[in-house]
């Protein structure tokens, strides 16, 4: 008998749940096919889904773009508002990655905008950003992102390929992210680095095996420059195996041993 009671209660519970679900579906169909005909949009809610640190497009920009293209929904009947047209317009903006637009039963049109995030800026044969998806994006006339700058002879394929990987490596390494201020690509495609501390230009060479090259320099910073000073050399060359070759104008070539895996440092006259 108790088992039968449980079955009856379970049946009643399932029946009530089904009635509630069907009731909600009927209400929804009635709203979007009946009440929607009369409801007027009373508010435009624009949501920017990215943090403001590198924001290249704002809520005001989105609202102005809709206004200029006669797509401002406020005051219009919901059934005459085409969300596909709004999404299509905003997706054409080069700063926008994706858009989602929908109406709510309370008469609000919500627009969720996800912008493209610039990773670094290229200044050379062209001026543009490379975003986090390895795609180029134009420089905004209204906003600028505080991102690393790479200048010199840079092709798009290089910027979105090996150079992207190198900038990512610097960005993810706390030591080098704090040390390197700018990356420069020479006409012979060799890479020079401008440090934040000291006057010496760092010659990295090509982008092969750069973790090993930078590790040699890190040890030179830790075991050498911390003792002898950061402004002693004008040029620091990492292209040689097991050596860091430094240049300064006051001294003739000398050879000084360094700690650990760095075999030597050669100081030569410019």
């Amino acid at each position: 008998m108790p088992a039968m009671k449980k079955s009856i209660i379970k049946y009643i519970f399932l029946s009530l749940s089904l009635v509630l679900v069907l009731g909600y579906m009927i209400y929804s169909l009635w709203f979007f096919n009946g009440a929607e005909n009369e409801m007027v949009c009373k508010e435009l809610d624009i949501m920017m889904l990215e943090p403001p640190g590198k924001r290249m497009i704002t809520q005001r920009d989105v609202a102005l773009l809709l206004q200029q293209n006669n797509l401002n929904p406020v005051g219009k009947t919901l059934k005459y508002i085409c969300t596909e047209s709004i999404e299509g317009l905003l997706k054409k903006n080069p700063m926008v990655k994706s858009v989602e637009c929908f109406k709510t039963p309370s008469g609000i049109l919500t627009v969720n905008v996800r912008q493209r995030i610039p990773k670094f800026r290229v200044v050379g044969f062209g001026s543009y950003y490379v975003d986090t998806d390895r795609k180029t994006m134009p420089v905004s006339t209204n906003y600028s992102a505080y991102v690393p700058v790479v200048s010199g002879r840079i092709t798009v394929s290089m910027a979105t390929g090996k150079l992207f990987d190198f900038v990512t490596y610097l960005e993810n390494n706390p030591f080098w992210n704090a040390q390197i201020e700018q990356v420069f690509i020479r006409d012979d495609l060799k890479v020079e680095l401008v440090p934040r501390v000291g006057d010496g230009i760092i010659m990295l060479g090509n982008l092969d095996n750069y973790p090993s090259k930078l590790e040699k320099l890190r040890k030179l910073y830790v075991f050498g420059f911390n003792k002898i000073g950061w402004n002693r050399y004008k040029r620091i060359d990492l292209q040689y195996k097991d050596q860091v070759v430094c240049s300064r104008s006051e001294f003739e070539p000398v050879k000084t041993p360094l700690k650990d895996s760095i075999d030597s440092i050669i100081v030569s006259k410019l």
Side-chain angles (χ1 to χ4, degrees), residues 28-62:
S28 298
L29 290 172
W30 169 80
F31 173 78
F32 284 106
N33 291 283
E36 184 192 41
N37 293 332
E38 302 299 330
M39 181 166 285
V40 173
C41 177
K42 60 183 181 182
E43 183 180 342
L44 172 63
D45 183 21
I46 301 172
M47 301 290 294
M48 309 304 295
L49 302 182
E50 306 295 345
K54 295 179 181 178
R55 185 163 292 173
M56 307 300 291
I57 186 170
T58 66
Q59 293 170 313
R60 181 182 179 187
D61 296 330
V62 173

PDB file of all heavy atoms in Angstrom, residues 28-62:
ATOM      1  N   SER A  28       4.513  31.722 -23.851  1.00  0.00           N
ATOM      2  CA  SER A  28       5.582  32.226 -24.709  1.00  0.00           C
ATOM      3  C   SER A  28       5.094  32.417 -26.134  1.00  0.00           C
ATOM      4  O   SER A  28       5.386  33.435 -26.774  1.00  0.00           O
ATOM      5  CB  SER A  28       6.767  31.263 -24.681  1.00  0.00           C
ATOM      6  OG  SER A  28       7.289  31.155 -23.379  1.00  0.00           O
ATOM      7  N   LEU A  29       4.360  31.436 -26.631  1.00  0.00           N
ATOM      8  CA  LEU A  29       3.819  31.555 -27.992  1.00  0.00           C
ATOM      9  C   LEU A  29       2.849  32.723 -28.088  1.00  0.00           C
ATOM     10  O   LEU A  29       2.835  33.463 -29.075  1.00  0.00           O
ATOM     11  CB  LEU A  29       3.121  30.246 -28.394  1.00  0.00           C
ATOM     12  CG  LEU A  29       4.044  29.038 -28.634  1.00  0.00           C
ATOM     13  CD1 LEU A  29       3.215  27.772 -28.833  1.00  0.00           C
ATOM     14  CD2 LEU A  29       4.924  29.283 -29.853  1.00  0.00           C
ATOM     15  N   TRP A  30       2.060  32.905 -27.046  1.00  0.00           N
ATOM     16  CA  TRP A  30       1.105  34.028 -27.053  1.00  0.00           C
ATOM     17  C   TRP A  30       1.835  35.361 -27.047  1.00  0.00           C
ATOM     18  O   TRP A  30       1.487  36.282 -27.771  1.00  0.00           O
ATOM     19  CB  TRP A  30       0.209  33.931 -25.822  1.00  0.00           C
ATOM     20  CG  TRP A  30      -0.620  35.181 -25.621  1.00  0.00           C
ATOM     21  CD1 TRP A  30      -1.768  35.525 -26.246  1.00  0.00           C
ATOM     22  CD2 TRP A  30      -0.311  36.258 -24.731  1.00  0.00           C
ATOM     23  NE1 TRP A  30      -2.202  36.753 -25.808  1.00  0.00           N
ATOM     24  CE2 TRP A  30      -1.325  37.229 -24.880  1.00  0.00           C
ATOM     25  CE3 TRP A  30       0.724  36.490 -23.829  1.00  0.00           C
ATOM     26  CZ2 TRP A  30      -1.335  38.410 -24.140  1.00  0.00           C
ATOM     27  CZ3 TRP A  30       0.709  37.661 -23.108  1.00  0.00           C
ATOM     28  CH2 TRP A  30      -0.312  38.615 -23.267  1.00  0.00           C
ATOM     29  N   PHE A  31       2.916  35.430 -26.224  1.00  0.00           N
ATOM     30  CA  PHE A  31       3.633  36.700 -26.131  1.00  0.00           C
ATOM     31  C   PHE A  31       4.279  37.076 -27.456  1.00  0.00           C
ATOM     32  O   PHE A  31       4.111  38.183 -27.958  1.00  0.00           O
ATOM     33  CB  PHE A  31       4.707  36.634 -25.039  1.00  0.00           C
ATOM     34  CG  PHE A  31       5.588  37.857 -25.023  1.00  0.00           C
ATOM     35  CD1 PHE A  31       5.155  39.034 -24.460  1.00  0.00           C
ATOM     36  CD2 PHE A  31       6.853  37.828 -25.616  1.00  0.00           C
ATOM     37  CE1 PHE A  31       5.956  40.160 -24.465  1.00  0.00           C
ATOM     38  CE2 PHE A  31       7.654  38.947 -25.619  1.00  0.00           C
ATOM     39  CZ  PHE A  31       7.194  40.117 -25.039  1.00  0.00           C
ATOM     40  N   PHE A  32       5.009  36.166 -28.037  1.00  0.00           N
ATOM     41  CA  PHE A  32       5.769  36.491 -29.236  1.00  0.00           C
ATOM     42  C   PHE A  32       4.915  36.530 -30.495  1.00  0.00           C
ATOM     43  O   PHE A  32       5.349  36.996 -31.525  1.00  0.00           O
ATOM     44  CB  PHE A  32       6.918  35.500 -29.425  1.00  0.00           C
ATOM     45  CG  PHE A  32       8.059  35.780 -28.492  1.00  0.00           C
ATOM     46  CD1 PHE A  32       8.292  34.965 -27.393  1.00  0.00           C
ATOM     47  CD2 PHE A  32       8.884  36.870 -28.687  1.00  0.00           C
ATOM     48  CE1 PHE A  32       9.336  35.240 -26.525  1.00  0.00           C
ATOM     49  CE2 PHE A  32       9.924  37.147 -27.818  1.00  0.00           C
ATOM     50  CZ  PHE A  32      10.149  36.328 -26.730  1.00  0.00           C
ATOM     51  N   ASN A  33       3.684  36.057 -30.397  1.00  0.00           N
ATOM     52  CA  ASN A  33       2.811  36.124 -31.570  1.00  0.00           C
ATOM     53  C   ASN A  33       1.610  37.021 -31.352  1.00  0.00           C
ATOM     54  O   ASN A  33       0.861  37.289 -32.283  1.00  0.00           O
ATOM     55  CB  ASN A  33       2.322  34.718 -31.945  1.00  0.00           C
ATOM     56  CG  ASN A  33       3.441  33.845 -32.475  1.00  0.00           C
ATOM     57  OD1 ASN A  33       3.865  33.978 -33.602  1.00  0.00           O
ATOM     58  ND2 ASN A  33       3.939  32.956 -31.626  1.00  0.00           N
ATOM     59  N   GLY A  34       1.418  37.475 -30.118  1.00  0.00           N
ATOM     60  CA  GLY A  34       0.267  38.319 -29.839  1.00  0.00           C
ATOM     61  C   GLY A  34       0.657  39.609 -29.157  1.00  0.00           C
ATOM     62  O   GLY A  34       0.599  40.698 -29.741  1.00  0.00           O
ATOM     63  N   ALA A  35       1.104  39.492 -27.912  1.00  0.00           N
ATOM     64  CA  ALA A  35       1.445  40.687 -27.142  1.00  0.00           C
ATOM     65  C   ALA A  35       2.597  41.443 -27.767  1.00  0.00           C
ATOM     66  O   ALA A  35       2.689  42.665 -27.653  1.00  0.00           O
ATOM     67  CB  ALA A  35       1.796  40.290 -25.709  1.00  0.00           C
ATOM     68  N   GLU A  36       3.495  40.720 -28.464  1.00  0.00           N
ATOM     69  CA  GLU A  36       4.633  41.382 -29.102  1.00  0.00           C
ATOM     70  C   GLU A  36       4.191  42.399 -30.136  1.00  0.00           C
ATOM     71  O   GLU A  36       4.873  43.386 -30.393  1.00  0.00           O
ATOM     72  CB  GLU A  36       5.534  40.335 -29.754  1.00  0.00           C
ATOM     73  CG  GLU A  36       6.787  40.944 -30.363  1.00  0.00           C
ATOM     74  CD  GLU A  36       7.533  39.961 -31.245  1.00  0.00           C
ATOM     75  OE1 GLU A  36       6.870  39.220 -31.988  1.00  0.00           O
ATOM     76  OE2 GLU A  36       8.766  39.947 -31.189  1.00  0.00           O
ATOM     77  N   ASN A  37       3.019  42.158 -30.712  1.00  0.00           N
ATOM     78  CA  ASN A  37       2.528  43.080 -31.740  1.00  0.00           C
ATOM     79  C   ASN A  37       2.305  44.483 -31.179  1.00  0.00           C
ATOM     80  O   ASN A  37       2.342  45.463 -31.921  1.00  0.00           O
ATOM     81  CB  ASN A  37       1.220  42.555 -32.332  1.00  0.00           C
ATOM     82  CG  ASN A  37       1.444  41.282 -33.120  1.00  0.00           C
ATOM     83  OD1 ASN A  37       2.515  41.062 -33.657  1.00  0.00           O
ATOM     84  ND2 ASN A  37       0.426  40.435 -33.184  1.00  0.00           N
ATOM     85  N   GLU A  38       2.066  44.569 -29.885  1.00  0.00           N
ATOM     86  CA  GLU A  38       1.753  45.852 -29.276  1.00  0.00           C
ATOM     87  C   GLU A  38       2.893  46.406 -28.416  1.00  0.00           C
ATOM     88  O   GLU A  38       2.943  47.609 -28.175  1.00  0.00           O
ATOM     89  CB  GLU A  38       0.489  45.719 -28.408  1.00  0.00           C
ATOM     90  CG  GLU A  38      -0.726  45.231 -29.177  1.00  0.00           C
ATOM     91  CD  GLU A  38      -1.119  46.179 -30.303  1.00  0.00           C
ATOM     92  OE1 GLU A  38      -0.883  47.404 -30.167  1.00  0.00           O
ATOM     93  OE2 GLU A  38      -1.645  45.707 -31.318  1.00  0.00           O
ATOM     94  N   MET A  39       3.789  45.531 -27.946  1.00  0.00           N
ATOM     95  CA  MET A  39       4.830  45.994 -27.018  1.00  0.00           C
ATOM     96  C   MET A  39       5.890  46.812 -27.740  1.00  0.00           C
ATOM     97  O   MET A  39       6.341  46.454 -28.818  1.00  0.00           O
ATOM     98  CB  MET A  39       5.476  44.809 -26.299  1.00  0.00           C
ATOM     99  CG  MET A  39       6.541  45.228 -25.306  1.00  0.00           C
ATOM    100  SD  MET A  39       7.011  43.897 -24.186  1.00  0.00           S
ATOM    101  CE  MET A  39       5.597  43.866 -23.095  1.00  0.00           C
ATOM    102  N   VAL A  40       6.292  47.902 -27.109  1.00  0.00           N
ATOM    103  CA  VAL A  40       7.302  48.805 -27.660  1.00  0.00           C
ATOM    104  C   VAL A  40       8.601  48.632 -26.888  1.00  0.00           C
ATOM    105  O   VAL A  40       8.593  48.481 -25.660  1.00  0.00           O
ATOM    106  CB  VAL A  40       6.820  50.269 -27.583  1.00  0.00           C
ATOM    107  CG1 VAL A  40       7.927  51.230 -27.989  1.00  0.00           C
ATOM    108  CG2 VAL A  40       5.598  50.471 -28.473  1.00  0.00           C
ATOM    109  N   CYS A  41       9.709  48.642 -27.598  1.00  0.00           N
ATOM    110  CA  CYS A  41      11.023  48.541 -26.951  1.00  0.00           C
ATOM    111  C   CYS A  41      11.268  49.809 -26.130  1.00  0.00           C
ATOM    112  O   CYS A  41      11.244  50.911 -26.661  1.00  0.00           O
ATOM    113  CB  CYS A  41      12.121  48.357 -27.999  1.00  0.00           C
ATOM    114  SG  CYS A  41      13.785  48.297 -27.314  1.00  0.00           S
ATOM    115  N   LYS A  42      11.525  49.624 -24.863  1.00  0.00           N
ATOM    116  CA  LYS A  42      11.703  50.778 -23.981  1.00  0.00           C
ATOM    117  C   LYS A  42      13.157  51.012 -23.578  1.00  0.00           C
ATOM    118  O   LYS A  42      13.481  52.047 -22.991  1.00  0.00           O
ATOM    119  CB  LYS A  42      10.854  50.611 -22.730  1.00  0.00           C
ATOM    120  CG  LYS A  42      11.193  49.379 -21.904  1.00  0.00           C
ATOM    121  CD  LYS A  42      10.249  49.252 -20.719  1.00  0.00           C
ATOM    122  CE  LYS A  42      10.598  48.023 -19.875  1.00  0.00           C
ATOM    123  NZ  LYS A  42       9.669  47.860 -18.736  1.00  0.00           N
ATOM    124  N   GLU A  43      14.021  50.040 -23.903  1.00  0.00           N
ATOM    125  CA  GLU A  43      15.415  50.192 -23.463  1.00  0.00           C
ATOM    126  C   GLU A  43      16.343  49.362 -24.352  1.00  0.00           C
ATOM    127  O   GLU A  43      16.001  48.259 -24.775  1.00  0.00           O
ATOM    128  CB  GLU A  43      15.552  49.742 -22.014  1.00  0.00           C
ATOM    129  CG  GLU A  43      16.944  49.934 -21.429  1.00  0.00           C
ATOM    130  CD  GLU A  43      17.033  49.464 -19.991  1.00  0.00           C
ATOM    131  OE1 GLU A  43      15.977  49.312 -19.336  1.00  0.00           O
ATOM    132  OE2 GLU A  43      18.168  49.237 -19.530  1.00  0.00           O
ATOM    133  N   LEU A  44      17.531  49.924 -24.610  1.00  0.00           N
ATOM    134  CA  LEU A  44      18.594  49.205 -25.315  1.00  0.00           C
ATOM    135  C   LEU A  44      19.691  48.903 -24.315  1.00  0.00           C
ATOM    136  O   LEU A  44      20.298  49.808 -23.744  1.00  0.00           O
ATOM    137  CB  LEU A  44      19.141  50.058 -26.461  1.00  0.00           C
ATOM    138  CG  LEU A  44      20.392  49.528 -27.179  1.00  0.00           C
ATOM    139  CD1 LEU A  44      20.099  48.200 -27.856  1.00  0.00           C
ATOM    140  CD2 LEU A  44      20.895  50.551 -28.205  1.00  0.00           C
ATOM    141  N   ASP A  45      19.943  47.624 -24.076  1.00  0.00           N
ATOM    142  CA  ASP A  45      20.945  47.196 -23.103  1.00  0.00           C
ATOM    143  C   ASP A  45      22.149  46.615 -23.850  1.00  0.00           C
ATOM    144  O   ASP A  45      22.079  45.526 -24.403  1.00  0.00           O
ATOM    145  CB  ASP A  45      20.343  46.141 -22.177  1.00  0.00           C
ATOM    146  CG  ASP A  45      21.311  45.709 -21.078  1.00  0.00           C
ATOM    147  OD1 ASP A  45      22.254  46.483 -20.804  1.00  0.00           O
ATOM    148  OD2 ASP A  45      21.134  44.619 -20.517  1.00  0.00           O
ATOM    149  N   ILE A  46      23.240  47.381 -23.888  1.00  0.00           N
ATOM    150  CA  ILE A  46      24.453  46.968 -24.590  1.00  0.00           C
ATOM    151  C   ILE A  46      25.461  46.455 -23.569  1.00  0.00           C
ATOM    152  O   ILE A  46      25.858  47.175 -22.658  1.00  0.00           O
ATOM    153  CB  ILE A  46      25.061  48.138 -25.388  1.00  0.00           C
ATOM    154  CG1 ILE A  46      24.049  48.664 -26.407  1.00  0.00           C
ATOM    155  CG2 ILE A  46      26.342  47.698 -26.091  1.00  0.00           C
ATOM    156  CD1 ILE A  46      24.491  49.943 -27.093  1.00  0.00           C
ATOM    157  N   MET A  47      25.862  45.219 -23.728  1.00  0.00           N
ATOM    158  CA  MET A  47      26.806  44.594 -22.806  1.00  0.00           C
ATOM    159  C   MET A  47      28.127  44.326 -23.532  1.00  0.00           C
ATOM    160  O   MET A  47      28.157  43.633 -24.550  1.00  0.00           O
ATOM    161  CB  MET A  47      26.242  43.273 -22.270  1.00  0.00           C
ATOM    162  CG  MET A  47      24.926  43.423 -21.526  1.00  0.00           C
ATOM    163  SD  MET A  47      25.140  44.268 -19.940  1.00  0.00           S
ATOM    164  CE  MET A  47      26.127  43.060 -19.053  1.00  0.00           C
ATOM    165  N   MET A  48      29.231  44.891 -23.013  1.00  0.00           N
ATOM    166  CA  MET A  48      30.553  44.615 -23.543  1.00  0.00           C
ATOM    167  C   MET A  48      31.147  43.469 -22.726  1.00  0.00           C
ATOM    168  O   MET A  48      31.318  43.590 -21.514  1.00  0.00           O
ATOM    169  CB  MET A  48      31.441  45.855 -23.461  1.00  0.00           C
ATOM    170  CG  MET A  48      30.811  47.119 -24.044  1.00  0.00           C
ATOM    171  SD  MET A  48      30.287  46.966 -25.768  1.00  0.00           S
ATOM    172  CE  MET A  48      31.869  46.742 -26.573  1.00  0.00           C
ATOM    173  N   LEU A  49      31.437  42.366 -23.385  1.00  0.00           N
ATOM    174  CA  LEU A  49      31.810  41.144 -22.677  1.00  0.00           C
ATOM    175  C   LEU A  49      33.303  41.031 -22.396  1.00  0.00           C
ATOM    176  O   LEU A  49      33.747  40.003 -21.904  1.00  0.00           O
ATOM    177  CB  LEU A  49      31.339  39.925 -23.480  1.00  0.00           C
ATOM    178  CG  LEU A  49      29.837  39.871 -23.762  1.00  0.00           C
ATOM    179  CD1 LEU A  49      29.485  38.609 -24.525  1.00  0.00           C
ATOM    180  CD2 LEU A  49      29.039  39.955 -22.465  1.00  0.00           C
ATOM    181  N   GLU A  50      34.076  42.048 -22.723  1.00  0.00           N
ATOM    182  CA  GLU A  50      35.513  42.012 -22.464  1.00  0.00           C
ATOM    183  C   GLU A  50      35.873  43.030 -21.384  1.00  0.00           C
ATOM    184  O   GLU A  50      35.186  44.034 -21.211  1.00  0.00           O
ATOM    185  CB  GLU A  50      36.305  42.333 -23.743  1.00  0.00           C
ATOM    186  CG  GLU A  50      35.945  41.458 -24.925  1.00  0.00           C
ATOM    187  CD  GLU A  50      36.295  39.996 -24.708  1.00  0.00           C
ATOM    188  OE1 GLU A  50      37.070  39.694 -23.775  1.00  0.00           O
ATOM    189  OE2 GLU A  50      35.797  39.149 -25.459  1.00  0.00           O
ATOM    190  N   PRO A  51      36.956  42.799 -20.634  1.00  0.00           N
ATOM    191  CA  PRO A  51      37.398  43.790 -19.638  1.00  0.00           C
ATOM    192  C   PRO A  51      37.807  45.088 -20.321  1.00  0.00           C
ATOM    193  O   PRO A  51      38.239  45.080 -21.467  1.00  0.00           O
ATOM    194  CB  PRO A  51      38.597  43.110 -18.963  1.00  0.00           C
ATOM    195  CG  PRO A  51      39.060  42.081 -19.955  1.00  0.00           C
ATOM    196  CD  PRO A  51      37.835  41.622 -20.683  1.00  0.00           C
ATOM    197  N   PRO A  52      37.692  46.225 -19.639  1.00  0.00           N
ATOM    198  CA  PRO A  52      37.939  47.532 -20.265  1.00  0.00           C
ATOM    199  C   PRO A  52      39.396  47.857 -20.560  1.00  0.00           C
ATOM    200  O   PRO A  52      39.677  48.839 -21.206  1.00  0.00           O
ATOM    201  CB  PRO A  52      37.360  48.514 -19.243  1.00  0.00           C
ATOM    202  CG  PRO A  52      37.479  47.806 -17.933  1.00  0.00           C
ATOM    203  CD  PRO A  52      37.257  46.349 -18.230  1.00  0.00           C
ATOM    204  N   GLY A  53      40.351  47.046 -20.098  1.00  0.00           N
ATOM    205  CA  GLY A  53      41.770  47.384 -20.235  1.00  0.00           C
ATOM    206  C   GLY A  53      42.216  47.625 -21.659  1.00  0.00           C
ATOM    207  O   GLY A  53      42.960  48.552 -21.943  1.00  0.00           O
ATOM    208  N   LYS A  54      41.762  46.779 -22.607  1.00  0.00           N
ATOM    209  CA  LYS A  54      42.174  46.908 -24.002  1.00  0.00           C
ATOM    210  C   LYS A  54      40.963  47.146 -24.900  1.00  0.00           C
ATOM    211  O   LYS A  54      40.893  46.673 -26.020  1.00  0.00           O
ATOM    212  CB  LYS A  54      42.920  45.645 -24.446  1.00  0.00           C
ATOM    213  CG  LYS A  54      44.236  45.406 -23.719  1.00  0.00           C
ATOM    214  CD  LYS A  54      44.914  44.144 -24.190  1.00  0.00           C
ATOM    215  CE  LYS A  54      46.214  43.900 -23.439  1.00  0.00           C
ATOM    216  NZ  LYS A  54      46.882  42.636 -23.852  1.00  0.00           N
ATOM    217  N   ARG A  55      39.996  47.871 -24.411  1.00  0.00           N
ATOM    218  CA  ARG A  55      38.747  48.065 -25.139  1.00  0.00           C
ATOM    219  C   ARG A  55      38.950  48.982 -26.344  1.00  0.00           C
ATOM    220  O   ARG A  55      39.426  50.101 -26.216  1.00  0.00           O
ATOM    221  CB  ARG A  55      37.678  48.620 -24.210  1.00  0.00           C
ATOM    222  CG  ARG A  55      36.303  48.747 -24.865  1.00  0.00           C
ATOM    223  CD  ARG A  55      35.219  48.894 -23.823  1.00  0.00           C
ATOM    224  NE  ARG A  55      35.061  47.663 -23.059  1.00  0.00           N
ATOM    225  CZ  ARG A  55      34.276  47.562 -21.998  1.00  0.00           C
ATOM    226  NH1 ARG A  55      33.623  48.616 -21.554  1.00  0.00           N
ATOM    227  NH2 ARG A  55      34.166  46.412 -21.367  1.00  0.00           N
ATOM    228  N   MET A  56      38.586  48.486 -27.520  1.00  0.00           N
ATOM    229  CA  MET A  56      38.734  49.231 -28.760  1.00  0.00           C
ATOM    230  C   MET A  56      37.392  49.739 -29.286  1.00  0.00           C
ATOM    231  O   MET A  56      37.336  50.476 -30.260  1.00  0.00           O
ATOM    232  CB  MET A  56      39.392  48.348 -29.820  1.00  0.00           C
ATOM    233  CG  MET A  56      40.699  47.705 -29.378  1.00  0.00           C
ATOM    234  SD  MET A  56      41.952  48.923 -28.921  1.00  0.00           S
ATOM    235  CE  MET A  56      42.313  49.642 -30.508  1.00  0.00           C
ATOM    236  N   ILE A  57      36.303  49.315 -28.673  1.00  0.00           N
ATOM    237  CA  ILE A  57      34.976  49.791 -29.033  1.00  0.00           C
ATOM    238  C   ILE A  57      34.152  49.843 -27.748  1.00  0.00           C
ATOM    239  O   ILE A  57      34.292  48.987 -26.882  1.00  0.00           O
ATOM    240  CB  ILE A  57      34.311  48.872 -30.086  1.00  0.00           C
ATOM    241  CG1 ILE A  57      32.974  49.460 -30.562  1.00  0.00           C
ATOM    242  CG2 ILE A  57      34.152  47.451 -29.586  1.00  0.00           C
ATOM    243  CD1 ILE A  57      32.397  48.741 -31.763  1.00  0.00           C
ATOM    244  N   THR A  58      33.334  50.880 -27.594  1.00  0.00           N
ATOM    245  CA  THR A  58      32.596  51.083 -26.351  1.00  0.00           C
ATOM    246  C   THR A  58      31.096  50.973 -26.586  1.00  0.00           C
ATOM    247  O   THR A  58      30.622  50.892 -27.722  1.00  0.00           O
ATOM    248  CB  THR A  58      32.906  52.469 -25.771  1.00  0.00           C
ATOM    249  OG1 THR A  58      32.384  53.479 -26.669  1.00  0.00           O
ATOM    250  CG2 THR A  58      34.411  52.672 -25.596  1.00  0.00           C
ATOM    251  N   GLN A  59      30.340  50.987 -25.488  1.00  0.00           N
ATOM    252  CA  GLN A  59      28.880  50.971 -25.568  1.00  0.00           C
ATOM    253  C   GLN A  59      28.371  52.177 -26.364  1.00  0.00           C
ATOM    254  O   GLN A  59      27.431  52.060 -27.157  1.00  0.00           O
ATOM    255  CB  GLN A  59      28.286  50.977 -24.161  1.00  0.00           C
ATOM    256  CG  GLN A  59      28.569  49.696 -23.377  1.00  0.00           C
ATOM    257  CD  GLN A  59      28.174  49.828 -21.929  1.00  0.00           C
ATOM    258  OE1 GLN A  59      28.492  50.823 -21.270  1.00  0.00           O
ATOM    259  NE2 GLN A  59      27.493  48.818 -21.400  1.00  0.00           N
ATOM    260  N   ARG A  60      29.008  53.310 -26.143  1.00  0.00           N
ATOM    261  CA  ARG A  60      28.599  54.517 -26.873  1.00  0.00           C
ATOM    262  C   ARG A  60      28.821  54.344 -28.372  1.00  0.00           C
ATOM    263  O   ARG A  60      27.980  54.762 -29.184  1.00  0.00           O
ATOM    264  CB  ARG A  60      29.386  55.725 -26.362  1.00  0.00           C
ATOM    265  CG  ARG A  60      29.007  57.025 -27.041  1.00  0.00           C
ATOM    266  CD  ARG A  60      29.859  58.171 -26.534  1.00  0.00           C
ATOM    267  NE  ARG A  60      29.515  59.411 -27.209  1.00  0.00           N
ATOM    268  CZ  ARG A  60      30.181  60.550 -27.066  1.00  0.00           C
ATOM    269  NH1 ARG A  60      31.219  60.600 -26.251  1.00  0.00           N
ATOM    270  NH2 ARG A  60      29.805  61.629 -27.720  1.00  0.00           N
ATOM    271  N   ASP A  61      29.932  53.729 -28.760  1.00  0.00           N
ATOM    272  CA  ASP A  61      30.206  53.487 -30.177  1.00  0.00           C
ATOM    273  C   ASP A  61      29.132  52.608 -30.801  1.00  0.00           C
ATOM    274  O   ASP A  61      28.672  52.853 -31.923  1.00  0.00           O
ATOM    275  CB  ASP A  61      31.574  52.822 -30.351  1.00  0.00           C
ATOM    276  CG  ASP A  61      32.724  53.698 -29.905  1.00  0.00           C
ATOM    277  OD1 ASP A  61      32.589  54.938 -30.005  1.00  0.00           O
ATOM    278  OD2 ASP A  61      33.742  53.160 -29.443  1.00  0.00           O
ATOM    279  N   VAL A  62      28.745  51.558 -30.072  1.00  0.00           N
ATOM    280  CA  VAL A  62      27.719  50.635 -30.578  1.00  0.00           C
ATOM    281  C   VAL A  62      26.388  51.357 -30.738  1.00  0.00           C
ATOM    282  O   VAL A  62      25.718  51.240 -31.772  1.00  0.00           O
ATOM    283  CB  VAL A  62      27.573  49.425 -29.635  1.00  0.00           C
ATOM    284  CG1 VAL A  62      26.391  48.555 -30.061  1.00  0.00           C
ATOM    285  CG2 VAL A  62      28.851  48.606 -29.622  1.00  0.00           C
TER     286      VAL A  62
END
